Amino acid sequence: MIRAAIIFFLVAALAVAVVALTGEPGAASLDWMGWRVEMTAAAAALLTLFTALLATILWRGLLWVVEAPRRAARARIEAKRKQGVEALSRGFLAAAAGDGSEARRLAQKASELAEDAPALVRVLAAQAAEAAGDHVAARQAYNAMLGFPEMRLAGLRGLMQTAVAEGDKTLALRHAETAYGLARTARWAWRALLEARLEAGDWQAALALVQGALERKIVPPLIAERARAALLAASAAGVEDSDDPKILAQALDFATQAAKLKPEFAPGVVMAARLLAADGKTAKAGALIEAAWKRAPHPALWLAYRDLKTSETPKLRAVRLAALANLKPEARESRLLKVESALIGGDPIAARAAARLLPEEALTARVAGLMARVAYANGEADEARAWVARGVAAPQEPDWSDLDPEGRAFAYAREDWARLTVSYVETGELIHPRFERGERTMSELPQLPSAYAESTPFVRAAEAGGALMPIPDDPGIGPGGFDAAPPAEPETGSPAPRRNAGSRRRLASGPRAAK
């Protein structure tokens, strides 16, 4: 206000000076109590303005003195507020860092200073108790939040986390159900309920939760589709072994829905194809696998495709698998399948040519084993042993590439299906539960004779009029497989070692071990 008065005085004084300089200063006189004062009008105006300015300054000064106590009180309140905000900030940082004692000290300080932020003080007190490992104090703090509508959801989440930390899953689930009923967008509550349903193997309840989350817009449609595909496949796996035709029909319906919803989800496609084949719908099963291969080739798909027909010759089977690989020839799995199909068809030269087209990448046990089989099929036993030696130190591929050709794919327990579902929903990628647990898996490396043998028995046998005769149901090498020595040389007539029947890859359609 004083600044405005000074500006007004300067403007008015300038105006009076301009008038005076024009030659019309005017005249002014004042008679008061016998006193008479005469001056120019310009001087009188300037004197009046100056008097008014001085009175304004004196009045503002008097008000400043009168309001000094109130102003000091406001300054103290503001300083206290700033200290409270600082205590809250430092307290939350200490809780996030896990420093429970410091967080509790700052929470107590904030409760004394930040009187205008009681909600934040309560949250800090609860988190400080959690950081200090005091579950009783944390539970009390979160229970206190339930009395405030705006803090109830935060209190329920804290109570759920405290119950989980104490190992009380039932109580944690109860808090999550309450929160899910209160807020339509409580994603954490939905996630907790979904994990509980998965852990219990209640696939239908989990499907209902996914549908509800989609309607509430808690999850995007892509996440919901992944979850539904995985849960439908798990539902089918749970009733696949039933003898009731109605239940088997339901399993087929579940698996077919999963395959149509997400063709790139190999477990659902393989299961649907297996159930369709068991129902006599081999052509439909083959079309399902072919569509899935075009989207995302997977080793389990070609094994399931191979087993759709069990009465064909190796050459016909090789042609059929090569046709599957050609549906997406640029894919890595397709290039590997071309090598496999050549081995199955008993054409080691074609297998060698296909192996040269494999993409250059870090060596894995699977690739080393395949190269060893190619070398052995071409009569290069020493080279095959070298590949096996390299494959021993090579890492495994955590994507079901170690599937037992004699077993049934994705015959997993409830826990594995739950883990697979969570991973696929979150990332869209398949994981290998057995690989993650570090369990022993089927070796990718063929068994070769440990003793030294020359690399050219096949060549000399051919020169002597012999022929390379692959076993009809063995995927790709000469007599005896990989666990037997090379065939006997005509010159020596030494007998070839007997084949280990336990490792022979058959094409039978009977019961097979789970993978």
Side-chain angles (χ1 to χ4, degrees):
M1 180 177 179
I2 294 178
R3 287 194 297 268
I6 292 175
I7 293 173
F8 177 75
F9 171 76
L10 292 176
V11 172
L14 181 61
V16 171
V18 170
V19 172
L21 293 175
T22 58
E24 297 292 338
S29 62
L30 174 63
D31 291 327
W32 184 56
M33 297 182 63
W35 292 85
R36 181 179 178 84
V37 178
E38 293 182 354
M39 63 188 72
T40 63
L46 290 174
L47 181 62
T48 303
L49 290 174
F50 179 77
T51 303
L53 176 61
L54 182 62
T56 301
I57 293 174
L58 292 175
W59 176 250
R60 293 300 301 169
L62 179 62
L63 291 180
W64 184 84
V65 173
V66 172
E67 292 180 353
R70 188 183 303 174
R71 188 169 57 256
R74 285 199 302 266
R76 287 193 298 270
I77 293 174
E78 180 63 19
K80 183 178 180 181
R81 187 191 68 81
K82 290 182 178 179
Q83 292 177 2
V85 171
E86 182 181 359
L88 282 172
S89 301
R90 292 172 56 195
F92 280 116
L93 290 175
D99 191 349
S101 59
E102 179 66 10
R104 298 185 91 169
R105 185 186 70 80
L106 291 169
Q108 180 62 33
K109 182 178 179 180
S111 66
E112 299 172 356
L113 297 174
E115 298 177 355
D116 56 342
L120 293 177
V121 172
R122 291 180 183 275
V123 173
L124 177 58
Q127 292 187 359
E130 282 186 341
D134 190 348
H135 298 303
V136 175
R139 185 167 54 251
Q140 291 174 349
Y142 284 124
N143 275 319
M145 295 183 189
L146 301 182
F148 301 90
E150 68 278 5
M151 301 181 64
R152 191 174 184 187
L153 198 60
L156 287 170
R157 184 177 188 181
L159 289 172
M160 185 198 75
Q161 293 174 340
T162 303
V164 170
E166 294 176 344
D168 193 344
K169 294 184 178 181
T170 303
L171 182 59
L173 185 60
R174 193 182 309 152
H175 291 312
E177 289 174 344
T178 303
Y180 190 65
L182 285 177
R184 294 184 58 84
T185 57
R187 182 184 174 90
W188 61 269
W190 171 80
R191 176 64 183 267
L193 293 176
L194 180 63
E195 290 180 352
R197 302 294 186 265
L198 293 177
E199 185 178 356
D202 192 348
W203 315 123
Q204 297 304 310
L207 280 169
L209 273 174
V210 171
Q211 184 61 33
L214 181 61
E215 294 173 355
R216 295 185 180 194
K217 297 183 179 180
I218 294 178
V219 296
L222 177 61
I223 298 298
E225 287 181 0
R226 290 176 184 170
R228 287 187 60 204
L231 291 170
L232 286 168
S235 301
V239 295
E240 184 184 8
D241 296 327
S242 175
D243 296 328
D244 190 339
K246 293 184 178 179
I247 296 180
L248 286 177
Q250 187 180 40
L252 176 58
D253 180 59
F254 287 152
T256 304
Q257 288 185 53
K260 291 181 179 179
L261 194 62
K262 280 292 178 181
E264 59 270 25
F265 186 63
V269 176
V270 170
M271 194 166 305
R274 189 162 62 224
L275 291 169
L276 285 170
D279 197 31
K281 301 176 181 178
T282 306
K284 189 173 182 180
L288 203 62
I289 295 176
E290 291 169 0
W293 191 271
K294 292 178 182 178
R295 297 286 294 273
H298 191 278
L301 292 176
W302 80 261
L303 288 174
Y305 196 72
R306 180 201 67 181
D307 292 341
L308 291 179
K309 296 181 180 180
T310 58
S311 59
E312 61 188 347
T313 64
K315 289 188 179 298
L316 290 177
R317 171 161 295 185
V319 171
R320 188 163 58 88
L321 291 177
L324 178 66
N326 287 329
L327 293 178
K328 195 169 185 179
E330 72 281 0
R332 176 180 185 268
E333 287 298 329
S334 295
R335 296 183 182 183
L336 292 172
L337 180 54
K338 288 179 181 179
V339 181
E340 292 278 3
S341 63
L343 291 173
I344 291 174
D347 190 347
I349 297 177
R352 174 77 76 182
R356 292 193 184 100
L357 299 178
L358 292 178
E360 295 183 2
E361 56 184 21
L363 184 68
T364 64
R366 179 188 181 194
V367 174
L370 185 61
M371 296 301 294
R373 292 164 57 196
V374 172
Y376 200 85
N378 282 275
E380 300 290 343
D382 292 339
E383 182 184 346
R385 291 192 195 93
W387 278 111
V388 171
R390 293 178 63 187
V392 169
Q396 296 281 343
E397 293 186 19
D399 60 353
W400 288 280
S401 59
D402 66 339
L403 289 173
D404 184 354
E406 302 299 333
R408 190 178 67 181
F410 311 117
Y412 288 147
R414 180 188 65 194
E415 295 79 9
D416 290 340
W417 276 110
R419 175 71 186 100
L420 173 62
T421 300
V422 171
S423 175
Y424 183 68
V425 169
E426 291 178 343
T427 65
E429 298 179 358
L430 296 178
I431 53 95
H432 194 327
R434 185 172 65 247
F435 183 88
E436 285 189 339
R437 291 195 298 270
E439 295 181 5
R440 186 175 181 179
T441 60
M442 190 191 80
S443 176
E444 291 285 344
L445 304 175
Q447 297 179 6
L448 298 176
S450 58
Y452 176 82
E454 293 185 16
S455 299
T456 58
F458 281 85
V459 176
R460 291 214 292 266
E463 292 174 352
L468 298 178
M469 296 293 293
I471 293 178
D473 58 354
D474 190 288
I477 60 171
F482 306 118
D483 51 351
E489 300 183 25
E491 299 94 342
T492 61
S494 57
R498 294 181 60 187
R499 174 181 172 81
N500 183 353
S503 65
R504 186 166 177 262
R505 298 192 176 190
R506 56 184 170 82
L507 305 180
S509 59
R512 300 179 177 182
K515 296 177 285 208

